[in-house]
Amino acid sequence: LGGLEAFLAGGPNAAAPLDDHDCHFGRWQHTVGRSRHALDPAFPAAISLHERMHLAGRELIARHLAGQACEA
């Protein structure tokens, strides 16, 4: 989230990874996380939340690039 926050604040043009497979948690969930927690009933909910976070990040970046103010 730090890269996204910096980008939205006018920092360098490098935001957080937009693909939910490319961030730290995404790499973990598809490797160690899946092998350790695949049978945990909470694991699919964590994956869904993670995907929604990336979707929200993409939306924020699109709005920012379109010149729309992002309100917290």
Side-chain angles (χ1 to χ4, degrees):
L1 292 176
L4 176 61
E5 184 177 19
F7 176 80
L8 295 174
N13 288 337
L18 297 179
D19 187 312
D20 58 291
H21 293 84
D22 292 337
C23 71
H24 182 75
F25 183 82
R27 288 188 301 271
W28 173 85
Q29 87 178 29
H30 292 289
T31 57
V32 176
R34 186 170 308 282
S35 66
R36 290 185 185 170
H37 303 287
L39 299 178
D40 185 328
F43 192 66
I47 292 171
S48 177
L49 177 60
H50 177 238
E51 291 170 350
R52 290 194 324 260
M53 291 291 292
H54 278 272
L55 180 62
R58 289 189 295 271
E59 169 98 11
L60 287 170
I61 289 171
R63 288 178 181 225
H64 178 79
L65 293 174
Q68 298 176 358
C70 297
E71 297 180 11

